[in-house]
Amino acid sequence: MKILKIFIILFLVTSFSELKSDEANDVLKSKILKNIRCLICQGQSVYDSESEFASSIKLIVDKKINEGMTEGLIYEFLIEKYGDWIIFDPQLNKNTYILWLLPLLLFLVGGVIMRKKLKFTN
Amino acid sequence: MKNKLSLFIIVIFLSFCFVIFYKGLNTPNNYTPKVNEKKNIPTFKAKDFYSDNYINSDKIFEENTFYIVNIWASWCVPCRTEHPLLMQLSKNQSIKLIGLNYRDNFNNAKKFINDFGNPYSRILIDKDGTLGIEFGAYGVPETFLIDKNKDIIKKFVGPINQEIVNEIKLIIK
């Protein structure tokens, strides 16, 4: 009887942990798919799109997650195949320096101008 | 003097914006991935069309020759227009054609090959489109030229035409 109880507890623990990891994978999958642009219906993410391209990407992402690939590696894989444009949230690299640094530069210039103006009025 | 400087900065800024927007007008809205970027062929395992056996990619591209990977489907109308050109290319001894049958019904694909001829030395089945993704394809038809170093050196999106065939012939010469 005791052994049976232990078996039941072990069974429940393992099935719950499996459920948890499946849930975590699903969350990761949705997060990744929402950040991938569908190249057929270009305004939509792969998550929202029903195109054949999107359904193939969904399968690939699922496969890569099950193989143990991280989010970053999956993006790298897709960027290598289709270029930076496939990702909605562009990563910092030599093609996107201006995109990332220009707002910061404008912010700094604005700050300097405001500081000068304030000094002048004081 | 200060006013003139401000005016000058505003004019420069507006001209900069004008140039950016003007250039944007001539850029197409739809994104097409780069076609001349050299890439390694992916490693994969695929089902053979006739034997139903799974083959590794290194076995498929084992010969020291140029290869063409053509993604096709029986339901794809542009595939029919490019098929005679693929038949023409298949006669060339310095190139081997590999067909990737994309999201197709087996019987329809078989009928297509029986009706129009088989230009491929091997046909692989891509039932769910994931093999196409490994190649970086996003539609059908698409054609990839692979050199002797097993690098994808050219990618042709859409049906190939005589001009493309001539270009391929010039590269493999």
Side-chain angles (χ1 to χ4, degrees), chain A residues 40 42 55-56 80-82, chain B residues 31 39 103 128 134 137-138:
Chain A
I40 303 299
Q42 299 200 346
S55 68
S56 301
E80 197 240 317
K81 305 286 174 200
Y82 296 102
Chain B
Y31 171 77
K39 281 175 191 166
R103 287 177 172 266
D128 54 14
E134 293 283 353
Y138 69 108

Side-chain angles (χ1 to χ4, degrees), chain B residues 12-58:
Chain B
I12 290 287
F13 179 72
L14 287 177
S15 319
F16 176 73
C17 291
F18 176 77
V19 170
I20 296 281
F21 285 120
Y22 187 75
K23 278 198 116 185
L25 279 178
N26 296 323
T27 317
N29 267 344
N30 284 344
Y31 171 77
T32 38
K34 284 179 188 153
V35 288
N36 289 329
E37 236 171 42
K38 210 173 179 176
K39 281 175 191 166
N40 289 331
I41 46 167
T43 41
F44 58 86
K45 218 174 185 185
K47 206 175 186 185
D48 185 77
F49 190 77
Y50 289 108
S51 71
D52 250 14
N53 291 331
Y54 279 90
I55 321 151
N56 279 327
S57 50
D58 49 355

